[in-house]
Amino acid sequence: MAQLREGRPMTSGPDEIQPIALQRPSQLVAAELRQRILRGEWRDGATLPPASVLAQRLGISQHHLREALRLLEHDGLIRVEPGRNGGISLAIPDEEAVTRILEGILARYGTLMTDMSVARGVIDEAVAGLAAERATADDLAMLEAIVEREQTRGWGQTPCTEFHLSVARATHNQPLLTVVQATWPIGAGWGEKIPAKLDAIRREPSRGRETVQAHLDLVEAITARDSPRARDLMRQHHAAIFASYEPALRGLRVGRSAGEMASG
Ligand SMILES: [Zn+2]
């Protein structure tokens, strides 16, 4: 027992009294509203009464309500828009909002695009393994149709995206799908201004053939419910992508436009 008393004293002197952190009323209101939204009480597109009425029903001041809504909006949990009759329309954010927030965080850390590629490969490997275990007949038909289109139309404008998102859907695991949907577009914001070096690699016919073959093999492994092989093939596919893009991606950072990158 004596040992337990070592270290900090059981009681503090008056000099060590810490202030009590009281939550502001708007924070308490925001916490309550957050719970109601997460419970599904208010859904996407729900229209709430005008602020004056809502505040009255909630038994709080309009000021605290507005502050609370601002906090929730800042957290990316809602988007408040004026409704038709002066009510408040709630829009629950989708994956695009997650992408924007994630891109902002990664940009702040100066994240390299090559690290983004590595992360994508690690996630996708797990995705492929789970898809092989959980894909339904509909998922398999969808994947086959995508690869068939890739084979017939030649190398298109949206390499890999459609196929990989469909594999993620075949996991029937929402958190995993959300992560894939949110991370996939990072870097795609280059749009028309995609760095020329990257674009050239993307359009190489040999790369196209290699990719379609990799997708074909993946569909085969997923159909055979061969999870380890699906993981292995996905790892190889990403390694091949990484090897060809790495020289063009080197030094590029998340969140920087092609124009900025061209000028260093
Ligand atoms: Zn691919």
Side-chain angles (χ1 to χ4, degrees), residues 26-157:
S26 53
Q27 288 174 317
L28 293 170
V29 175
E32 171 65 22
L33 296 182
R34 184 179 292 119
Q35 281 306 312
R36 292 190 187 194
I37 291 167
L38 295 182
R39 276 202 303 265
E41 218 167 288
W42 295 334
R43 293 183 180 281
D44 198 4
T47 302
L48 303 176
S52 55
V53 179
L54 183 59
Q56 200 182 12
R57 287 203 206 152
L58 293 169
I60 56 171
S61 74
Q62 278 191 58
H63 169 73
H64 288 150
L65 174 67
R66 268 195 297 270
E67 279 278 291
L69 290 175
R70 239 198 308 274
L71 287 173
L72 294 177
E73 203 167 17
H74 185 259
D75 286 354
L77 199 57
I78 59 168
R79 206 168 53 239
V80 182
E81 287 154 358
R84 242 181 292 168
N85 299 314
I88 301 160
S89 292
L90 294 185
I92 311 295
D94 52 19
E95 291 77 14
E96 282 177 35
V98 184
T99 302
R100 280 196 300 276
I101 292 169
L102 190 58
E103 200 164 23
I105 294 169
L106 295 177
R108 200 172 59 202
Y109 286 113
T111 305
L112 292 167
M113 279 307 295
T114 43
D115 278 341
M116 197 63 227
S117 296
V118 170
R120 217 173 260 155
V122 169
I123 296 165
D124 242 15
E125 193 185 320
V127 163
L130 196 58
E133 290 170 24
R134 305 184 69 176
T136 63
D138 282 350
D139 295 326
L140 296 174
M142 168 67 83
L143 290 173
E144 274 170 30
I146 291 170
V147 177
E148 211 164 289
R149 272 203 299 279
E150 288 179 344
Q151 282 175 301
T152 52
R153 80 177 166 205
W155 201 221
Q157 295 296 314

Side-chain angles (χ1 to χ4, degrees), residues 160 163-164 211 215 237 241:
C160 277
F163 178 80
H164 290 254
T211 299
H215 290 180
H237 179 37
I241 293 172

